[in-house]
């Protein structure tokens, strides 16, 4: 199992957790190449869309 804190959440490249930047929306590490790229925006959209998969609110 990979530790998500040592990989860029966009490209999965291994990064140094001490010097890496974090995406402000998801608080996940992102490498310099992926930061503010179209691929990062797509990864954010995909991850936020999948957050509620399988969950149904019973109050509706």
């Amino acid at each position: 199992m990979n530790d998500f804190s040592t990989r860029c959440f966009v490209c999965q490249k291994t990064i140094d957790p001490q010097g890496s930047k974090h995406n402000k929306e998801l608080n996940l590490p992102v490498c310099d190449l992926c930061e503010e790229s179209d691929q990062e925006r797509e990864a954010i959209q995909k991850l936020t869309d999948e957050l509620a998969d399988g969950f149904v609110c019973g109050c509706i």
Side-chain angles (χ1 to χ4, degrees):
M1 181 177 200
N2 292 329
D3 181 4
F4 71 89
S5 67
T6 61
R7 297 201 174 268
C8 171
F9 83 98
V10 179
C11 68
Q12 301 302 311
K13 182 178 83 174
T14 302
I15 57 176
D16 176 20
Q18 298 298 324
S20 66
K21 297 176 183 174
H22 283 74
N23 174 275
K24 293 179 182 180
E25 291 178 58
L26 302 175
N27 197 29
L28 292 173
V30 62
C31 70
D32 291 335
L33 295 174
C34 294
E35 185 179 30
E36 297 183 16
S37 67
D38 289 336
Q39 291 82 7
E40 181 186 23
R41 285 186 277 283
E42 290 171 11
I44 292 168
Q45 185 66 42
K46 181 180 181 214
L47 288 172
T48 54
D49 285 348
E50 293 175 352
L51 282 176
D53 282 354
F55 292 100
V56 177
C57 178
C59 65
I60 303 176

